[in-house]
Amino acid sequence: MSSTASTTTTTAAVARAPGSPEARAARGGTRIAYMRYVAGKLGGAAVSLVAVLVTSFFLFRIIPGDPVKAMTHGMPTSAEQLATLRRQFGLDLPLWQQFTDYCAHALTGDLGTSYQFRAPVGELIAQKVPATLLLTGVAVVIYSALGLWLGTRSAWRHGGLGDKLNTGVALTLWSVPSFWLGLLLIIVFSVGVGPVPGMFPTGGMESGSETGIAYVFDVAHHMVLPVLTLVAVGYAQTLLVMRSSLLDEMGSDYLTTARAKGLRDDDVRRRHAVPNALLPTVTMVFINLGHVAAGSILVETVFSWPGLGGLFYQALSVPDLPLVQGLFVVFAGAMIVMNLLADLLYPLLDPRVGR
């Protein structure tokens, strides 16, 4: 009996050995499962991009208004001139032909020519990307880190004064429209109210007269209020999601086991609870990174920030169909790519996801 048990134990140990055929087969099966998982996610992303192309074309065709009449508003224009402009922009073609031409050019990277700026849409977007990346990139990094930290502390000490205060402030800020908060900050800190003097510019990215290190401080000075607006609204969502995820893990048996082994409370939180609570928050963080490309249309418009959000507002007011469509594709494409990266990161955080 003892010999049989010993033989069984030895066989199992050999099977579990890193170089054994069984171990290699297990690793191969895991790789195949992960490759299937990746292929499925890539296929889903490709389908989503195609859907974005279709949606971007038809969605903005329902906007009321004639782009040609909007561009020639206030100028004496004959019917023949209007017809020439429509023919020049391809608006006289049947809708199905406009759609096929749009898709054919978009798949080659050509997003068309802007009606109002008479320049390639790709070049216009490239000119505005740095300003948007600077503003929303800084805001996303700040409010993601702040939300994760405060959400973790609130959940770990849930029910306490700090948790109630953090949750109350987060819920309040999450429900505040970003443009309203931006206007309020301009009134208080740019114009000045009572004893509070106007300390920050009302809008724009720079004063236009600074160079060198003074230019850097000038841009930072202009960024304070729009970044504060984005952080105030964005951190609240991250905090609440992280808090909820961590609370779901609080009663798990593995945390009780970790404590029974003598681990300190901080180690239990940092090494066991937080990593398992990160999956929903990782999705949100990557979606927020997708917002870096989209910027914040309302916040950029309120603060006259020269980024993609302001450009989208200008294009929508005409409507400048090629520019609106191109920006929509860039915004949605960034979200799809970031969501795909989050899906590919999941198996690294939880190996069960890719199996």
Side-chain angles (χ1 to χ4, degrees):
M1 187 73 175
S2 174
S3 175
T4 303
S6 176
T7 302
T8 303
T9 302
T10 303
T11 303
V14 171
R16 289 194 300 268
S20 65
E22 291 81 1
R24 289 196 296 270
R27 288 196 298 271
T30 302
R31 284 195 294 268
I32 292 174
Y34 181 70
M35 294 305 295
R36 289 176 179 171
Y37 172 81
V38 171
K41 295 300 179 181
L42 289 174
V47 172
S48 298
L49 286 173
V50 172
V52 165
L53 282 178
V54 176
T55 304
S56 67
F57 179 83
F58 290 103
L59 177 63
F60 299 108
R61 288 316 192 270
I62 64 176
I63 299 176
D66 186 340
V68 173
K69 288 184 178 179
M71 285 185 293
T72 57
H73 180 70
M75 296 185 293
T77 310
S78 65
E80 291 77 11
Q81 290 174 319
L82 291 175
T84 301
L85 286 174
R86 289 193 178 92
R87 185 167 56 255
Q88 178 182 346
F89 295 132
L91 296 174
D92 62 327
L93 298 174
L95 189 62
W96 66 267
Q97 188 172 350
Q98 293 183 45
F99 175 67
T100 55
D101 290 345
Y102 164 70
C103 290
H105 288 96
L107 292 175
T108 62
D110 181 8
L111 298 176
T113 301
S114 168
Y115 294 163
Q116 56 181 325
F117 297 106
R118 306 296 178 91
V121 170
E123 292 183 6
L124 292 172
I125 293 175
Q127 292 171 5
K128 301 294 184 179
V129 163
T132 291
L133 290 181
L134 177 63
L135 177 66
T136 55
V138 170
V140 166
V141 170
I142 293 174
Y143 71 63
S144 295
L146 185 63
L148 288 172
W149 179 62
L150 290 178
T152 300
R153 294 182 65 86
S154 293
W156 204 248
R157 295 175 174 83
H158 65 283
L161 179 61
D163 176 37
K164 293 178 181 178
L165 182 61
N166 284 331
T167 305
V169 172
L171 287 172
T172 302
L173 291 175
W174 197 9
S175 61
V176 172
S178 58
F179 71 91
W180 182 85
L181 181 59
L183 290 172
L184 186 63
L185 291 177
I186 289 176
I187 293 172
V188 175
F189 296 106
S190 293
V191 178
V193 174
V196 180
M199 297 177 288
F200 300 100
T202 57
M205 181 178 172
E206 57 184 277
S207 300
S209 59
E210 306 293 344
T211 58
I213 191 65
Y215 173 78
V216 175
F217 283 107
D218 182 46
V219 172
H221 190 218
H222 283 76
M223 287 178 59
V224 171
L225 292 185
V227 167
L228 182 60
T229 303
L230 293 172
V231 168
V233 177
Y235 102 94
Q237 186 178 17
T238 308
L239 181 152
L240 294 171
V241 171
M242 185 61 193
R243 179 182 181 276
S244 176
S245 301
L246 190 53
L247 283 176
D248 290 340
E249 299 290 332
M250 295 285 284
S252 301
D253 293 337
Y254 70 89
L255 295 183
T256 304
T257 303
R259 290 190 180 96
K261 291 180 178 179
L263 289 179
R264 295 184 307 160
D265 198 55
D266 288 343
D267 291 334
V268 173
R269 182 186 70 241
R270 186 177 63 256
R271 293 168 54 185
H272 296 279
V274 171
N276 285 286
L278 276 177
L279 289 184
T281 313
V282 164
T283 301
M284 177 167 297
V285 169
F286 273 87
I287 289 176
N288 290 338
L289 290 175
H291 287 160
V292 171
S296 178
I297 296 173
L298 294 177
V299 172
E300 288 193 4
T301 302
V302 167
F303 288 97
S304 302
W305 190 264
L308 295 177
L311 184 64
F312 185 80
Y313 177 79
Q314 286 180 280
L316 201 58
S317 61
V318 173
D320 189 339
L321 295 179
L323 186 53
V324 170
Q325 290 167 180
L327 287 166
F328 182 83
V329 169
V330 171
F331 294 166
M335 298 294 293
I336 292 171
V337 170
M338 288 299 107
N339 196 44
L340 174 63
L341 291 178
D343 288 337
L344 298 182
L345 182 62
Y346 278 173
L348 301 179
L349 298 174
D350 187 352
R352 295 171 298 177
V353 174
R355 296 179 180 177

